[in-house]
Amino acid sequence: MPAKRSPARRPTMKDIARRAGVSESAVSFALNGRPGVSEVTRERVRRVAEQLGWRPSTAARALSGEGAATVGLVLARPADTLGVDSFFLQLVSGIQEVLAERHLGLLFQVVEDVPDECAVYRRWWAEHRVDGVLVVDPRTDDPRPDLLDELGLPAVVIGGAPDERHSGLSTVWADDAGAMASVVDGLYALGHRRIVHIAGLSGLAHTERRIRTLRAEARRRGLTGVESITTDYSDAEGAAVTRRVLDSAAPPTALIYDNDVMALAGVATATELGFSVPADVSVVAWEDSALCRMVRPWLSALSRDTMEFGRTAARELTALLDGGPARTVRVPVPRLIERESTGAARGA
């Protein structure tokens, strides 16, 4: 039998001290930016540490109060809906790109609900597991900002509206109301008067903003055949709601879906029921993605740079970790890209 290999040994401060010809205390001062060594010695120690591939222990840094070199992201959503959600995949890609530049890790956890998410924050804070957190899916009645303020944990809320009550938290937000208004404007100009919004999870702040805006736009134009129906973002619920509204006595002439996956499921369901897209019913997806261009007809969709959204949020968090002030940053309004799935309402 081949001999069992011993695991590789991590370089230590003692190794650096031996190679650099200085004491271990001098190595500690040099690597932690503390006074007590000359600049020449500090540079020599850092050069040797780099040659040996030495990295600080995040556990030791946490115990000494110097940080964990990790930020956290908790998602309180049904786990089985994440694999088909292109928005989060792109968002996390943008976040990770910035964190990698700073050699920061991302600790990700999926939980059942917001109380469980709050429990995770308390545990991470007590255990020094993370230096800060990125908060997603702001709620209309959200306990998380108060908790994070109480803990003093640096945080960036992604997708929330500006909030002056929590001066220590940064916010990166998009104008969902403006985006919904632009969609309704476009559909109304095409003659659509019966519009159904197949929305995401109820209670999410951006879902409620979209619903309120649709209602306001309908009232302004005197439209009565307009409604929003919440779902779990899945293709299954997108298809089920589409079937229900198209089977009604007065089916809508336009459907707005809160993500690309539901929109694809909606087109398939409409076709199965004998509806032609867009001759009988127009379809708009909220999030543009490659999926919108892999179906016939190509889907009209609201487009934004989701990866840049993630990069912006991560940059704001690293700025907080560097001691900068909390800020509110607005990203560009998603713009409607009109493709083959929208057209004039029949008889308009």
Side-chain angles (χ1 to χ4, degrees), residues 109-159:
Q109 188 162 340
V110 179
V111 296
E112 287 293 322
D113 51 31
V114 170
D116 284 347
E117 182 175 343
C118 290
V120 170
Y121 292 147
R122 289 187 181 278
R123 186 172 69 252
W124 282 353
W125 172 80
E127 296 174 353
H128 303 273
R129 294 288 299 278
V130 297
D131 298 322
V133 295
L134 294 158
V135 181
V136 296
D137 287 345
R139 265 62 176 183
T140 51
D141 186 15
D142 202 329
R144 296 172 297 174
D146 284 336
L147 172 61
L148 294 168
D149 259 356
E150 173 193 326
L151 297 176
L153 195 58
V156 173
V157 179
I158 301 175

Side-chain angles (χ1 to χ4, degrees), residues 199-211:
L201 291 167
S202 62
L204 297 186
H206 65 262
T207 300
E208 298 304 321
R209 284 197 298 269
R210 295 172 192 180
I211 290 173

Side-chain angles (χ1 to χ4, degrees), residues 118 123 128 144 151 170-171 186 203 265 275 279 282 309 328:
C118 290
R123 186 172 69 252
H128 303 273
R144 296 172 297 174
L151 297 176
S170 287
T171 300
F275 287 79
S282 286
F309 201 1
T328 295

Side-chain angles (χ1 to χ4, degrees), residues 9 45 56-57 97-98 112 115 117 121 154 176-177 205 211-212 243 246 279 282 301-302 323:
R9 190 176 71 85
V45 167
S57 163
E97 188 175 302
V98 172
E112 287 293 322
E117 182 175 343
Y121 292 147
D176 292 285
I211 290 173
R212 285 197 305 270
R243 182 177 298 277
L246 291 182
S282 286
L302 281 160

Side-chain angles (χ1 to χ4, degrees), residues 198 235 238-239 242 246 255 257 261-271 277 283:
I198 300 180
D235 57 332
T242 301
L246 291 182
L255 298 168
Y257 293 86
V261 172
M262 290 198 297
L264 260 69
V267 170
T269 301
T271 302
V277 178
V283 170

